[in-house]
Amino acid sequence: MIYETQPTASHYVDGAYLEDTDGTPIPVIYAATGARIATVHAATPAVIDRALTAAARAQTDWARLSGRERGRVLIRAAQILRERNREMSVLETCDTGKPLQETLIADAASAADALEYFGGLAGSLTGEHIPLGGDWAYTMREPLGVCVGIGAWNYPTQIAAWKAAPALACGNAMVFKPSEVTPLCALKLAEILTEAGAPAGLFNVVQGAGEAGQALISDPRVAKVSLTGSVPTGRKVYAAAAADMKHVTMELGGKSPLLIFEDADLENAVGGAILANFYSSGQICSNGTRVFVQKSVKEAFLARLTERLKGVVMGDPLDEATNFGPMVSEAQMRIVEGYIAKGVEEGARLVTGGKRAARDGFFLEPTVFADVTDGMTIAREEIFGPVMAVLDFEDEDEAVARANATEFGLAAGVFTRDISRAHRVIGALKAGTCFINSYNDAPVEMPFGGVGMSGVGRENAKAAIEHYSQLKSVYVRMGDVEAPY
Ligand code: NDP
């Protein structure tokens, strides 16, 4: 089947597609074959300027609407996304290589959830009344202004919507820069928002690599930057934003621990470890890639895991029977291959996988290492691929201490049937997003984000409102002013 993947133009600015072929061409590669499926151009300074000008203009009028009126547009966009779920999912698969079996339920659907949730919330964004005896004060919740969103390549539709939905609900406008690896999906979101009634300029998409991101962040018209990306990029973006005291949300990388105790339901623990490592071929920031398994159940865990990984079906991601796709790009595949080689070199036991699949595209086998120790590279660095490191432990205190011995703090999970232990362990783990007897659920109602080097701020849930609005406090004197002279 032939799908139309070449977008109408590279950028979406001021309510319409916009092209500027002076920008550096960016090839869009289908990860399952290595074939070029589209070409876009990086934004030139002129395109970036147009996008920011349009956003600033649109924001002023948008902020004057009632929250309910803003919410209505977002909810309409959610409905359109749901109606076009298949079309959006096919595009997401072409953009990322993730299997259609996954994208049909995880991407446009999650974006629609965010638009619906924040659309519903938009009418209830209020300040508070603070009685002070005779006098009183009140707070007003105001938008920040023009927000910049910068996305990673693993969830292009979801990341754009997770940023746009709370931003727009609060009365901001947004200029979004997708990863240059996956430039297609955010354009469709922009198109749908326009169709749903968003005014021209409210949500703009400009393409490009790091320079485009830097140009956006350093522009004085921008009030906030929300980045989903790696820690090194986060450092640069945060520093650039700090120069002008801009607000930031940083959704960065992780090396999250998943603790499996001997009393856990083994089948569920294996399922959780699979979801924590191999969904989206391991390209998920919150993945529980350090799997600590209590020694007494380690071999049983590894045996069952190996058995269940036989259920992996690699193939054309557009075939709904396929449940395991390629790495997003050749570059990412090489990075992951490098980590697999390091694992072997440093003495970890390769239980399964470890090789490139014998087919076109950037497919790697799901890979499990056992007998991993804390100092090994594969236990310390984010790999962002289908590589699970299994470490064993004797007791709870040891497992918690070792799980916390990392600069990251995005997520953590525990599998146990002991409810006291479950809550005690989660209470002691240094992570922003945690799971008990589950892994990687991300409902929009639950705040998502990290601590430590994994980030600043929260996406989703009511918590995101704090990061896309600011309070104005107003003191009201009801009597006369008493001045000393
Ligand atoms: P990168 O950090 O390489 O890039 C993220 C985005 O930032 C891209 O759009 C990139 O542009 C852009 N960028 C790069 N340099 C700069 C700069 N100096 N100024 C402004 N923007 C810049 O991450 P990846 O795209 O490789 O994504 C993988 C990373 O994202 C992993 O570390 C993963 O953990 C993290 N991530 C975090 C999530 C979270 O919610 N916590 C969710 C998903 C991923 P370009 O790539 O086009 O050059």
Side-chain angles (χ1 to χ4, degrees):
M1 211 185 299
I2 304 294
Y3 296 100
E4 183 52 57
T5 43
Q6 177 63 42
T8 308
S10 299
H11 319 287
Y12 195 92
V13 171
D14 209 0
Y17 277 97
L18 174 68
E19 192 53 272
D20 182 349
T21 50
D22 284 350
T24 312
I26 301 172
V28 186
I29 305 296
Y30 184 40
T33 58
R36 181 191 285 233
I37 54 167
T39 303
V40 296
H41 292 266
T44 55
V47 167
I48 289 175
D49 183 60
R50 276 182 70 172
L52 288 170
T53 304
R57 191 205 61 235
Q59 193 268 324
T60 312
D61 294 338
W62 178 248
R64 285 199 196 106
L65 296 180
S66 72
R68 210 161 34 75
E69 287 170 304
R70 292 198 297 267
R72 200 179 297 147
V73 172
L74 302 189
I75 289 169
R76 217 177 285 139
Q79 283 159 354
I80 299 172
L81 262 175
R82 289 215 174 91
E83 282 157 18
R84 300 201 190 140
N85 185 52
R86 178 160 286 272
E87 185 191 322
M88 289 295 294
S89 305
V90 166
L91 192 67
E92 175 93 19
T93 290
C94 293
D95 218 3
T96 61
K98 290 186 294 181
L100 189 57
Q101 193 190 94
E102 260 186 57
T103 56
L104 279 170
I105 55 167
D107 294 279
S110 163
D113 287 352
L115 289 160
E116 184 177 61
Y117 177 84
F118 287 104
L121 220 53
S124 332
L125 304 178
T126 57
E128 62 177 340
H129 166 256
I130 305 162
L132 298 165
D135 294 350
W136 52 287
Y138 65 95
T139 58
M140 296 164 73
R141 189 165 286 284
E142 297 187 334
L144 303 174
V146 174
C147 300
V148 162
I150 301 179
W153 40 254
N154 56 344
Y155 279 79
T157 308
Q158 185 194 77
I159 291 172
W162 280 18
K163 297 187 189 312
L168 304 191
C170 290
N172 303 286
M174 179 163 272
V175 179
F176 185 81
K177 188 202 86 65
S179 163
E180 62 181 321
V181 181
T182 53
L184 304 179
C185 298
L187 292 167
K188 282 285 171 199
L189 179 66
E191 218 181 294
I192 286 172
L193 278 163
T194 300
E195 202 177 322
L202 192 67
F203 181 74
N204 309 275
V205 177
V206 298
Q207 309 293 352
E211 310 88 76
Q214 278 295 336
L216 289 168
I217 301 159
S218 52
D219 194 285
R221 285 168 287 187
V222 172
K224 160 157 191 142
V225 183
S226 176
L227 169 78
T228 296
S230 62
V231 172
T233 303
R235 274 208 184 92
K236 286 187 217 153
V237 170
Y238 203 166
D244 302 319
M245 222 56 86
K246 288 175 173 135
H247 297 251
V248 295
T249 298
M250 295 280 140
E251 292 293 352
L252 308 178
K255 190 73 196 174
S256 300
L258 170 59
L259 276 53
I260 296 172
F261 287 90
E262 60 191 2
D263 66 353
D265 178 304
L266 189 69
E267 207 55 32
N268 284 335
V270 169
I274 288 173
L275 292 177
N277 283 273
F278 300 124
Y279 201 68
S280 299
S281 301
Q283 302 166 112
I284 297 184
C285 51
S286 50
N287 271 358
T289 48
R290 286 184 297 145
V291 182
F292 290 89
V293 183
Q294 204 155 16
K295 236 178 206 153
S296 48
V297 292
K298 181 181 85 170
E299 291 307 329
F301 171 85
L302 289 172
R304 189 63 193 128
L305 176 64
T306 310
E307 191 58 34
R308 281 186 58 178
L309 286 176
K310 291 187 185 141
V312 162
V313 181
M314 277 192 209
D316 177 0
L318 288 164
D319 176 349
E320 278 181 62
T322 298
N323 62 20
F324 195 89
M327 297 285 89
V328 74
S329 63
E330 182 167 3
Q332 188 61 21
M333 181 185 71
R334 301 276 174 228
I335 290 171
V336 179
E337 282 181 315
Y339 277 110
I340 293 172
K342 266 256 181 279
V344 172
E345 191 186 307
E346 292 180 6
R349 167 163 59 112
L350 184 62
V351 176
T352 184
K355 293 191 305 296
R356 195 173 168 180
R359 51 181 314 120
D360 285 347
F362 315 130
F363 289 85
L364 286 175
E365 295 171 346
T367 299
V368 177
F369 281 107
D371 305 338
V372 177
T373 54
D374 298 352
M376 290 180 185
T377 309
I378 57 167
R380 287 186 291 106
E381 297 182 13
E382 183 181 49
I383 298 174
F384 227 60
V387 182
M388 183 193 297
V390 177
L391 307 95
D392 31 82
F393 69 93
E394 300 278 1
D395 66 45
E396 183 182 315
D397 288 348
E398 175 208 339
V400 168
R402 289 170 56 203
N404 281 339
T406 170
E407 61 174 3
F408 297 109
L410 186 53
V414 58
F415 274 83
T416 175
R417 284 198 179 100
D418 176 339
I419 59 166
S420 303
R421 169 152 58 201
H423 296 292
R424 189 170 60 236
V425 165
I426 288 298
L429 288 173
K430 291 183 187 153
T433 310
C434 296
F435 308 93
I436 294 177
N437 292 330
S438 192
Y439 208 89
N440 265 346
D441 314 76
V444 66
E445 296 89 341
M446 179 172 119
F448 179 86
V451 301
M453 294 304 285
S454 290
V456 172
R458 290 292 176 270
E459 295 202 295
N460 288 344
K462 287 182 218 147
I465 298 299
E466 297 298 329
H467 301 288
Y468 283 101
S469 61
Q470 58 197 352
L471 290 181
K472 177 182 277 173
S473 301
V474 185
Y475 186 100
V476 183
R477 183 172 296 282
M478 299 300 285
D480 295 330
V481 173
E482 281 181 34
Y485 44 81

